[in-house]
Amino acid sequence: MSSLRPILKWAGAKTKLGPHILELTPPTSRRLIEPFLGSAAVALNLGFESNVLADANPDVIDLYRNLADEPEKFMIECRRLFVSSNNTEEAYYSASRRI
Protein backbone atom coordinates (compact mmCIF):
# COMPACT_ATOMS: atom_id res chain seq x y z
CA MET A 1 0.00 0.00 0.00
CA SER A 2 1.34 3.41 -0.93
CA SER A 3 1.33 6.14 1.65
CA LEU A 4 -0.08 9.34 0.22
CA ARG A 5 0.15 12.29 2.56
CA PRO A 6 -3.00 14.34 3.04
CA ILE A 7 -2.82 18.07 2.35
CA LEU A 8 -4.22 18.79 5.82
CA LYS A 9 -2.58 18.17 9.16
CA TRP A 10 -5.27 16.66 11.33
CA ALA A 11 -5.39 15.66 14.97
CA GLY A 12 -6.28 11.99 15.03
CA ALA A 13 -5.40 11.38 11.38
CA LYS A 14 -5.46 7.70 10.49
CA THR A 15 -2.48 7.83 8.10
CA LYS A 16 -0.51 5.13 9.94
CA LEU A 17 -3.59 2.94 10.36
CA GLY A 18 -4.17 2.51 6.62
CA PRO A 19 -2.43 -0.87 6.29
CA HIS A 20 -4.28 -2.22 9.35
CA ILE A 21 -7.63 -0.97 8.08
CA LEU A 22 -6.94 -2.58 4.70
CA GLU A 23 -6.13 -5.91 6.40
CA LEU A 24 -9.56 -5.86 8.05
CA THR A 25 -11.37 -4.98 4.84
CA PRO A 26 -13.00 -7.82 2.89
CA PRO A 27 -10.99 -8.44 -0.31
CA THR A 28 -14.08 -7.94 -2.48
CA SER A 29 -14.68 -4.40 -1.17
CA ARG A 30 -14.91 -1.77 -3.90
CA ARG A 31 -16.26 1.30 -2.08
CA LEU A 32 -15.21 3.16 1.02
CA ILE A 33 -17.89 4.93 3.02
CA GLU A 34 -16.09 7.43 5.26
CA PRO A 35 -18.36 9.45 7.57
CA PHE A 36 -15.43 11.25 9.24
CA LEU A 37 -13.23 12.41 6.36
CA GLY A 38 -10.92 14.72 8.28
CA SER A 39 -7.59 14.75 6.45
CA ALA A 40 -8.81 12.05 4.00
CA ALA A 41 -5.85 9.82 4.94
CA VAL A 42 -7.91 6.63 4.71
CA ALA A 43 -9.64 7.49 1.43
CA LEU A 44 -6.33 8.53 -0.15
CA ASN A 45 -4.56 5.33 0.73
CA LEU A 46 -7.03 2.45 0.47
CA GLY A 47 -7.41 2.69 -3.28
CA PHE A 48 -11.06 1.68 -3.66
CA GLU A 49 -12.87 2.13 -6.97
CA SER A 50 -15.19 4.71 -5.42
CA ASN A 51 -15.63 6.59 -2.18
CA VAL A 52 -18.56 8.15 -0.34
CA LEU A 53 -16.96 10.84 1.79
CA ALA A 54 -18.58 12.98 4.48
CA ASP A 55 -17.62 15.20 7.37
CA ALA A 56 -19.56 17.40 9.78
CA ASN A 57 -17.13 20.24 9.03
CA PRO A 58 -18.39 21.97 5.85
CA ASP A 59 -15.04 23.71 5.38
CA VAL A 60 -13.30 20.35 4.99
CA ILE A 61 -15.83 19.22 2.39
CA ASP A 62 -15.58 22.56 0.54
CA LEU A 63 -11.79 22.29 0.49
CA TYR A 64 -11.85 18.88 -1.18
CA ARG A 65 -14.66 19.89 -3.56
CA ASN A 66 -12.67 22.94 -4.67
CA LEU A 67 -9.56 20.85 -5.10
CA ALA A 68 -11.43 18.26 -7.18
CA ASP A 69 -13.40 20.76 -9.27
CA GLU A 70 -10.73 23.37 -9.96
CA PRO A 71 -7.25 22.01 -9.12
CA GLU A 72 -5.35 24.67 -11.09
CA LYS A 73 -7.27 27.53 -9.46
CA PHE A 74 -6.73 25.89 -6.06
CA MET A 75 -2.97 25.69 -6.62
CA ILE A 76 -2.78 29.30 -7.82
CA GLU A 77 -4.57 30.45 -4.68
CA CYS A 78 -2.27 28.34 -2.48
CA ARG A 79 0.82 29.85 -4.13
CA ARG A 80 -0.59 33.31 -3.46
CA LEU A 81 -1.42 32.61 0.18
CA PHE A 82 1.43 30.37 1.33
CA VAL A 83 4.27 32.89 1.26
CA SER A 84 6.60 33.84 4.09
CA SER A 85 5.04 37.29 4.48
CA ASN A 86 1.78 35.59 5.50
CA ASN A 87 3.52 33.52 8.17
CA THR A 88 3.07 36.08 10.93
CA GLU A 89 0.65 36.61 13.76
CA GLU A 90 -0.56 39.86 12.19
CA ALA A 91 -1.26 38.21 8.83
CA TYR A 92 -3.14 35.37 10.54
CA TYR A 93 -5.44 37.70 12.45
CA SER A 94 -5.93 39.93 9.43
CA ALA A 95 -7.01 36.95 7.31
CA SER A 96 -9.24 35.52 10.05
CA ARG A 97 -11.10 38.82 10.40
CA ARG A 98 -12.01 38.65 6.68
CA ILE A 99 -13.70 35.27 7.06
Side-chain angles (χ1 to χ4, degrees):
M1 180 172 128
S2 65
S3 184
L4 298 173
R5 292 179 55 198
I7 63 171
L8 296 174
K9 296 276 186 185
W10 202 264
K14 297 179 272 298
T15 306
K16 294 179 182 178
L17 295 177
H20 304 292
I21 293 170
L22 195 55
E23 281 177 19
L24 298 170
T25 304
T28 56
S29 298
R30 297 187 340 248
R31 175 182 288 172
L32 170 70
I33 299 175
E34 174 60 85
F36 308 108
L37 182 62
S39 72
V42 173
L44 285 170
N45 287 293
L46 291 189
F48 287 121
E49 291 175 23
S50 68
N51 298 299
V52 176
L53 308 173
D55 200 284
N57 184 337
D59 294 329
V60 170
I61 298 302
D62 287 344
L63 170 75
Y64 285 110
R65 279 192 180 136
N66 285 323
L67 183 55
D69 294 344
E70 301 183 85
E72 292 299 321
K73 183 178 176 184
F74 183 87
M75 293 306 297
I76 289 167
E77 189 66 11
C78 286
R79 285 187 195 103
R80 184 183 73 76
L81 292 171
F82 294 98
V83 294
S84 59
S85 61
N86 282 344
N87 197 17
T88 66
E89 183 177 352
E90 295 82 20
Y92 171 82
Y93 285 110
S94 174
S96 66
R97 282 190 293 274
R98 286 181 265 159
I99 296 176

